[in-house]
Amino acid sequence: MSQASIESVSRESRVFPPQADFARDARVGTRQAYDEMHRRSLEDPDGFWLELARELHWFRAPTQGLDWSGAPHAKWFADGTTNLAYNCLDRHLGPSASGLAGPNKAALIFEGEPGDVQVLTYRQLHREVCRFSNVLGKLGVEKGDRVAIYMGMVPEAVIAMLACARIGAVHTVIFGGFAAEAVRDRVNDAQAKVVVTQDGAWRRGQVVPLKENVDRALAETPGVRHTVVLRRTGNPVAMEPGRDHFWHDVIESVSAKHEAAQLDAEHPLFILYTSGTTGKPKGVLHTTGGYMVGTYATSRYVFDLQPNDTYWCTADVGWVTGHSYIAYGPLANGATCMLYEGAPNHPDPGRFWSIIERHGVSILYTAPTAIRAFVKWGDRYPMAHDLSSLRLLGTVGEPINPEAWMWYRRVIGNERCPIVDTWWQTETGAMMMTPLPGAIATKPGSCCVPFFGVSAKVLREDGTEAGPNEGGLLVVDRPWPSMMRTVWGDDQRFADTYWSRFPGLYFTGDGARRDEDGYFWVMGRVDDVVNVAGHRLGTAEVESALVAHRSVAEAAVVGRPDALKGQALVAFVTVKAGELPTKELKALLLEHVAQEIGKFARPDDIRFTDTLPKTRSGKIMRRLLKEVASGGEVKGDMTTLEDLSVLAKLRADDE
Ligand code: PRX
């Protein structure tokens, strides 16, 4: 990034006002109504949020909103006690006439990749969560203990999360695409006592051997006492007596009665690891009350959830979107949630559209990388299905290119469904900028306006506010309920990463511009973090994995634009003396990264080089590598480059 401002090249001018019929029935139906609510949320944040909080169940109702006396550590609703699982389940078990879901409403509609379907009503989900809460209790899990959940997209993953929340244990969900080493590091960092997993997960007709990975990880995780293993794929697994228990065995021996723990609003809810600019992932910590109110409110207003909706978020439970918008937010609203286990193109690229048609999905929330894949696979797949049940579309995870947005609107939404492009982060817990579908005119590629209680700004490097359409750094300048509370075990890193760039302001790490109408356009990360197919990766993590290989001396990993994945990784690698930069080594290194982190982190290309471009102080000049990797012209300041000939060599290698 240059020292001045960030150049923004997007010049999108299309505008789509909310449809009158959608706006008529929406919770917020005019721009004016949004403006008034947003103004109130900033003028009287405590009053605004306490009112929303009171829509939920508290054992002791909070009388305080924000406590910012320990900044940058916020407390919200600190004198209240509640339970998020209670709010997602027990609260709905009353008669549906009360405006809540009612016990017989479907909570989860699960479709496995092989085609099996299972529906769990709120009553049934409650029962399963109570039972699993008792299982965790029996295995010695106490309030505050950490439980790792390393599973695929099955109802039991949601059940395990809710059971942790119910007893006050802190879950850390580890994405099922991570390899054993990544599992080990997260389990150890969180000091988890119990790991919940499954024999295997279905993915494109193949079995992902989750238990086998856990076995490898657990060879080096001294703190883990027990595992619970769900049978899903039926592949043989090794079970260590005393340590490993099958889900179906342990669940048999417990009662279905369980009373939800009464937890302080600031009781830790979960740790979710996310990439930063160093090799070590950050354990983002969220707590109970603020996160609950934030995900509840955003689900309610942004998805405009109505009693008859069937809502589908296609994210994985291993990422924050799966936490906030598969599990907690929609269930706290009593919604019916679709859960799909497998790949979007199994057995063919029409799978998503077939699911929408068969289950009558009315709200679809997915990612730009998926949308670009659908565009590539062709219109004939969605066209072959009746998608008329859809009434609202959403996207999240990375900037969406206007043409993909237009395709989404035309081919999937039949030009009648509003699109909510929601900008937020693992750290923010809930959506921060988004249109409200009945109130805000949308522009393709823009995440539009701040949600209630959110005040965002685009700043220049020197901290002054950028002018209209001038690119800069995106910050949030006041606390919000669902904000992260700290980095697990590394509070200093929390302060350094988010609160030191502009003292007193939350720095997002994203570049953005705000247009003449006040709409935000997020351009992506400005740090060494890349977004590959919606997976947020620190390039430093991939570099550490490469350097861990015995043949590698040094590695620098950068992102380059990719039509499908948004960004792709290119690794520049120098080998140790005596090693040869062969094709075989390239293949080995790619496999090595897949082993260390997971297949999704495997670079698209590895380029061997004798030296890397460095500054005189020895810092790798990733900016130059980025330009080389993108095949573009290498411009900008090179005066700090120690050895100019390095660049010529790199480019010669390119040809
Ligand atoms: O760069 C932004 C991008 O994804 C980052 C957050 O990634 P993660 O913590 O993994 O959470 C993803 C799901 C919330 C952001 O810093 N990002 C996310 N949503 C958008 C986005 N960029 C542009 N537009 C979005 N709607």
Side-chain angles (χ1 to χ4, degrees), residues 277 282 487 492-501 507:
T277 52
K282 294 180 284 223
V487 172
Q492 191 57 45
R493 193 168 175 197
F494 171 63
D496 292 347
T497 310
Y498 305 104
W499 301 95
S500 68
R501 182 70 186 74
F507 175 46

Side-chain angles (χ1 to χ4, degrees), residues 274 319-321 365 368 395-400 421-428 433 445 447 508-510 522-525 531 534-536:
T274 189
W319 306 116
V320 75
T321 308
Y365 189 37
T395 116
V396 60
E398 56 178 310
I400 181 164
D421 175 355
T422 62
W423 177 89
W424 57 294
Q425 308 176 297
T426 306
E427 294 87 340
T428 70
M433 292 200 283
C447 60
T508 63
D510 279 353
V522 173
M523 301 175 321
R525 310 289 307 180
N531 199 321
H535 298 307
R536 178 172 148 186

Side-chain angles (χ1 to χ4, degrees), residues 122-179:
Y122 272 91
R123 191 201 307 278
Q124 290 166 328
L125 184 60
H126 174 258
R127 181 183 149 84
E128 294 312 316
V129 170
C130 286
R131 293 168 85 196
F132 202 67
S133 301
N134 286 325
V135 166
L136 292 176
K138 237 179 135 172
L139 296 178
V141 178
E142 289 172 9
K143 186 170 143 181
D145 285 346
R146 272 79 61 206
V147 173
I149 300 173
Y150 177 61
M151 302 183 83
M153 291 284 288
V154 290
E156 287 79 1
V158 178
I159 291 169
M161 289 163 74
L162 288 164
C164 289
R166 194 170 182 89
I167 65 176
V170 182
H171 60 67
T172 184
V173 182
I174 303 171
F175 172 53
F178 275 119

Side-chain angles (χ1 to χ4, degrees), residues 178 186 274-282 319 493 525 527-532 535-545 556-559 569 593 597 600-601 622:
F178 275 119
R186 284 159 178 74
T274 189
S275 296
T277 52
T278 72
K280 189 173 183 287
K282 294 180 284 223
W319 306 116
R493 193 168 175 197
R525 310 289 307 180
D527 49 20
D528 290 322
V529 174
V530 288
N531 199 321
V532 178
H535 298 307
R536 178 172 148 186
L537 285 169
T539 50
E541 274 171 84
V542 185
E543 287 167 5
S544 316
V557 174
V558 296
L569 295 177
V593 174
I597 307 178
F600 65 94
R622 290 192 175 69

